Amino acid sequence: MATIQRISEENATPKADVVFIHGLWGDAEGTWKHLDSKHDGAFASFWPMDLADDHKSVAVWTVGYDSSPTHWAGHNMPLLDRANSLLDLLNANDIGSRPLLFITHSLGGLLAKAILRASHETPSDDDKHELHLNARGVVFFSTPHTGSSLANLVKCIPGGRSTSILQELSQADPYLRNLCQWFSDKGKEFDYKCLTYYESQKTKGLTVVDAVSANPNHGMRPVPFDGDHFSVCKIPDRSDQRYKQVLKLLHKITENTKTPDPEFAHSETIENIDFEIGVLPNPPQDGKVIEHHPPSRTLSYVSMASPTMIKISPKMGYLEQIKNREALDPVAYFWNPFKCQFPSLDVVLVNNTEKTLVLSEATLEVKSSKPDFSPVIVVPSNTWDMKLTLKNEGWGKISNAVLRCNILPTSSQEYAPDPPINHIEIGDNFSHVFQLGDFAECTELDLRETFKELGVDTETIAKAGFRNQTIDAFNAMKEGRNVKIAKHIGRFPNTETDEAWAVFPDGYAVVAGLLDFESTNVSGEETKVTLPIRARVFLFNIRYDQPMPPSYQYSAELEHTGINYEVPIKLCQTLKAGDADRFTIRLACTQSAFHQFRIRWNFVGGLNSRSYPIQLHHFVPRTFSREEMEFAESGGLAPEIGDFENVFEGDCVEKTLINTIKMAQLRNMNDRPPS
């Protein structure tokens, strides 16, 4: 059974945790004690205690577990099981919620890496998931990252026998190699700091961990120590270079840990403040011009409350379609495929004290923010010129994409824009396979050669001129005909017959099939995805311009990636004794992400109150994010919905002038110096 012991003195809020993990034949204390040969074999120092004395703002812990090699027998390498057990032990002692440094010897280094990986692969709504986000580094003393001679060393010890784990270590087990590669990749991604030492003297005639095996492939060269495998981690005093380097690393970690605002660092917590936090189900659409979307593509947020947590998640039918692997049909839109909004927290505060309180600030105490790399495939409705366009409104890269499909007519016998195609079955026998490769945001597939094989006269279509779209629409208006269809007919080539487009009499083809690709799921794991899709491809050029997109400015912005940061929100709310007040906080983010945070309500007079933990899952499509950032960079101040006239109704020129005046007024207000 694993144990954990705190070496440092108890302090209310340590800035960081330091966890010592021993290796084989070790224990929670003996591994780190230096034997003084001058004093009859007495232990001269226990350097974890020195570290605790020299850095009283951190909590120092030593972990112990059954490390006798003879007890590690079995057919499977037990590292993963041991790591999950230790992760649970650390979590039970609230280790992982603050910046964390592992100090390890031998197998303990492999356990530390396995603990980090187990935390990374834990669901994001589990407290254990945050440990790998809050980890800052690992100190490795003779850790066999790629295997060691431990199995041979056992044979040199009386009564020793080689067990399964030792044989696997000596053979560089596949799990060990995979763990080494994972730490090399993720360690750089999460910016883990590392110190690495290895022995330069043999133990029982063997080099247990050499320079090659001691290298974690993290960008820092291992440092040799003049000692054997078991003395490499025993530090005699504070003058030792190993101790100085560890202390230096610990200072660096704690210096980069943000502390609360000094104004509220010693503030008094108020107990008699009640609050409710939810999310507005349907706040107004962000942006100046309202674009109409069906309910399935209208984004909202929902909250679920438990006694210990509020969970806020995006809700949209289209996301459910992707999650359930339902067929994706063409999406018609001008600027954004979705009606988007940032979540607005719905807050109710009740003052149950006997005095008036003035709320001056709310601080989001963010425990973690991490990107959501889930892909969101969109098939635009308006694809033309024999090209199929696929867009990714998510933030993860799509790899090794393959489209297996059939190309079919729409079955429509009349000229009409965007004929329905959801009646066409996708099936499972396909005539065409297209390699789309990798893409992050958009990919375009030119089907010209494929259409030529299907009988389309691509050369005749390319040479022909186009009808006069404007005159056709004007004549239709005079004659009472459908203007929309007249404009659509104006997009067709001006040929004598329609034989050039063969089996596609209405000018449209349907691409129906399965899109296979690899991506990263919400847990950060690589996964294979198959999505059924139907797409409309227009054979000719579509000739019209689209207006510029809208923009919006928000109240507070969360980072899409970050750990232990704060977002201050200036407020001015007065609560009399017994009063309740209600307001909203709109939270923005530049890309889809998962957040864990609390809200600290700061009142005038050094008083504060904290909310319970909140989990927020932001869904921010790429197009929407780009519009927001461009408008913010221009120095614009977005108005509330209703301030601007809709330029698509009434007198366009007059309303455009009105909007221009209002924008100028808002920008002037935004440029005024603070009073």
Side-chain angles (χ1 to χ4, degrees):
M1 179 178 178
T3 61
I4 188 167
Q5 179 184 358
R6 181 163 177 168
I7 302 300
S8 58
E9 297 178 0
E10 295 285 341
N11 53 344
T13 54
K15 294 178 68 174
D17 291 297
V18 178
V19 177
F20 285 78
I21 306 179
H22 64 80
L24 291 178
W25 292 290
D27 59 62
E29 293 189 8
T31 296
W32 315 106
K33 285 182 176 180
H34 174 70
L35 180 65
D36 188 353
S37 58
K38 297 180 181 179
H39 296 84
D40 299 324
F43 287 110
S45 68
F46 178 52
W47 72 277
M49 184 66 76
D50 295 337
L51 201 64
D53 291 340
D54 290 345
H55 213 307
K56 296 186 182 298
S57 64
V58 303
V60 179
W61 311 76
T62 59
V63 168
Y65 59 93
D66 186 357
S67 62
S68 172
T70 57
H71 294 166
W72 284 63
H75 297 291
N76 296 316
M77 192 174 187
L79 262 179
L80 182 58
D81 292 338
R82 180 71 69 181
N84 282 319
S85 175
L86 291 179
L87 176 60
D88 188 71
L89 178 66
L90 297 177
N91 180 257
N93 288 273
D94 199 31
I95 297 172
S97 61
R98 297 176 293 272
L100 171 63
L101 174 67
F102 285 112
I103 298 179
T104 68
H105 174 238
S106 190
L107 186 68
L110 301 181
L111 281 171
K113 296 194 298 183
I115 289 169
L116 292 170
R117 185 173 186 175
S119 168
H120 178 262
E121 294 175 353
T122 300
S124 59
D125 57 353
D126 190 322
D127 285 348
K128 298 174 186 175
H129 183 80
E130 65 185 1
L131 182 141
H132 82 282
L133 297 172
N134 288 327
R136 295 294 187 271
V138 186
V139 178
F140 297 109
F141 288 107
S142 286
T143 292
H145 297 283
T146 57
S148 74
S149 301
L150 281 169
N152 295 327
L153 179 61
V154 173
K155 299 175 183 177
C156 302
I157 299 175
R161 64 186 179 88
S162 182
T163 62
S164 175
I165 185 173
L166 298 177
Q167 292 171 2
E168 289 165 339
L169 282 173
S170 65
Q171 296 166 2
D173 182 79
Y175 175 81
L176 199 63
R177 293 198 301 269
N178 185 269
L179 181 64
C180 186
Q181 185 61 50
W182 180 90
F183 185 79
S184 177
D185 296 338
K186 296 299 180 181
K188 295 169 185 175
E189 177 182 334
F190 294 113
D191 194 27
Y192 295 151
K193 309 298 182 186
C194 292
L195 290 176
T196 305
Y197 293 93
Y198 69 98
E199 71 261 24
S200 61
Q201 296 181 9
K202 294 183 178 182
T203 304
K204 299 286 185 179
L206 295 172
T207 299
V208 180
V209 178
D210 59 20
V212 175
S213 184
N215 192 343
N217 291 322
H218 191 60
M220 294 188 66
R221 182 174 297 177
V223 178
F225 167 73
D226 189 16
D228 64 15
H229 183 71
F230 296 105
S231 63
V232 67
C233 59
K234 300 180 186 295
I235 296 179
D237 53 52
R238 291 177 171 87
S239 65
D240 191 283
Q241 73 180 64
R242 294 165 294 172
Y243 184 84
K244 290 180 178 179
Q245 289 288 13
V246 171
L247 193 63
K248 182 179 176 182
L249 175 60
L250 188 54
H251 280 307
K252 184 182 297 184
I253 288 173
T254 53
E255 284 173 3
N256 291 337
T257 301
K258 295 186 178 180
T259 56
D261 190 326
E263 180 181 352
F264 303 105
H266 305 289
S267 60
E268 174 189 349
T269 299
I270 308 171
E271 300 294 340
N272 295 324
I273 297 293
D274 290 336
F275 47 82
E276 291 184 11
I277 301 175
V279 63
L280 290 182
N282 294 301
Q285 177 182 352
D286 293 337
K288 298 192 296 295
V289 180
I290 296 176
E291 185 176 359
H292 298 288
H293 298 81
S296 63
R297 291 190 282 115
T298 298
L299 176 64
S300 63
Y301 285 85
V302 294
S303 62
M304 294 182 63
S306 69
T308 59
M309 177 72 68
I310 301 171
K311 189 171 183 178
I312 302 171
S313 306
K315 180 182 179 182
M316 187 166 62
Y318 194 88
L319 295 180
E320 289 298 313
Q321 282 183 254
I322 292 177
K323 180 180 178 181
N324 298 330
R325 303 294 189 259
E326 298 175 11
L328 301 182
D329 288 316
V331 172
Y333 63 96
F334 280 105
W335 311 286
N336 196 319
F338 310 111
K339 178 181 178 181
C340 289
Q341 59 219 1
F342 289 125
S344 292
L345 300 184
D346 189 7
V347 180
V348 176
L349 290 181
V350 180
N351 181 4
N352 292 321
T353 69
E354 297 180 354
K355 57 184 178 181
T356 298
L357 300 173
V358 178
L359 181 61
S360 61
E361 183 181 83
T363 301
L364 306 181
E365 299 176 330
V366 184
K367 182 173 288 186
S368 65
S369 294
K370 66 168 189 173
D372 172 13
F373 290 119
S374 304
V376 179
I377 297 294
V378 172
V379 183
S381 177
N382 292 320
T383 59
W384 55 85
D385 201 19
M386 302 187 199
K387 295 174 183 176
L388 170 66
T389 302
L390 296 177
K391 291 191 174 182
N392 175 22
E393 286 290 343
W395 295 86
K397 181 181 178 181
I398 291 174
S399 304
N400 302 321
V402 177
L403 178 61
R404 297 173 287 144
C405 66
N406 294 315
I407 299 178
L408 309 166
T410 65
S411 303
S412 176
Q413 298 301 317
E414 60 181 14
Y415 294 121
D418 300 336
I421 62 172
N422 55 1
H423 62 283
I424 295 178
E425 295 185 3
I426 292 177
D428 52 11
N429 293 317
F430 304 111
S431 304
H432 306 279
V433 177
F434 300 101
Q435 304 292 330
L436 304 181
D438 302 345
F439 66 97
E441 186 172 352
C442 181
T443 187
E444 190 174 71
L445 176 62
D446 193 330
L447 296 170
R448 196 174 307 275
E449 291 301 318
T450 304
F451 279 117
K452 186 182 296 186
E453 294 172 3
L454 294 173
V456 176
D457 190 345
T458 56
E459 294 181 2
T460 298
I461 293 174
K463 293 178 181 178
F466 280 85
R467 296 173 171 84
N468 194 317
Q469 192 174 24
T470 304
I471 293 178
D472 287 349
F474 180 74
N475 290 333
M477 188 183 301
K478 285 199 310 179
E479 299 166 6
R481 292 186 284 111
N482 190 310
V483 176
K484 187 176 181 180
I485 291 180
K487 285 184 177 180
H488 176 63
I489 293 175
R491 302 169 183 167
F492 282 71
N494 193 13
T495 57
E496 294 183 0
T497 68
D498 59 1
E499 293 179 357
W501 34 98
V503 296
F504 308 104
D506 61 345
Y508 285 100
V510 181
V511 177
L514 298 176
L515 177 65
D516 304 316
F517 60 89
E518 298 172 4
S519 68
T520 304
N521 63 16
V522 294
S523 299
E525 302 168 333
E526 295 296 324
T527 184
K528 294 184 178 181
V529 179
T530 297
L531 284 177
I533 66 168
R534 280 185 288 256
R536 261 188 308 263
V537 177
F538 196 49
L539 272 61
F540 322 119
N541 246 322
I542 297 181
R543 301 171 297 128
Y544 59 82
D545 296 325
Q546 298 181 3
M548 295 297 290
S551 54
Y552 174 76
Q553 182 131 351
Y554 34 82
S555 299
E557 181 178 356
L558 291 166
E559 303 291 338
H560 70 269
T561 181
I563 298 174
N564 293 332
Y565 63 94
E566 293 188 348
V567 181
I569 308 167
K570 294 300 180 182
L571 301 176
C572 185
Q573 305 290 140
T574 299
L575 288 171
K576 294 183 179 180
D579 267 5
D581 195 9
R582 185 172 189 169
F583 51 94
T584 64
I585 300 175
R586 176 167 286 177
L587 303 179
C589 191
T590 56
Q591 73 174 65
S592 299
F594 298 92
H595 312 278
Q596 297 184 54
F597 62 94
R598 295 175 183 264
I599 302 178
R600 186 179 72 242
W601 309 107
N602 299 317
F603 297 85
V604 171
L607 306 176
N608 74 68
S609 181
R610 280 181 171 83
S611 74
Y612 21 72
I614 300 171
Q615 286 187 356
L616 168 62
H617 179 187
H618 256 123
F619 171 61
V620 185
R622 285 179 181 269
T623 306
F624 179 69
S625 175
R626 187 184 302 112
E627 294 165 5
E628 303 310 310
M629 289 190 290
E630 289 175 353
F631 190 73
E633 290 171 358
S634 71
L637 176 65
E640 295 297 323
I641 295 298
D643 280 0
F644 288 87
E645 303 289 344
N646 190 335
V647 298
F648 295 108
E649 297 177 1
D651 187 343
C652 269
V653 176
E654 179 183 352
K655 293 190 175 182
T656 300
L657 290 174
I658 293 173
N659 287 345
T660 303
I661 294 170
K662 288 184 178 181
M663 281 295 295
Q665 291 172 342
L666 286 168
R667 292 183 188 278
N668 289 336
M669 290 173 61
N670 198 35
D671 292 337
R672 290 176 186 170
S675 56

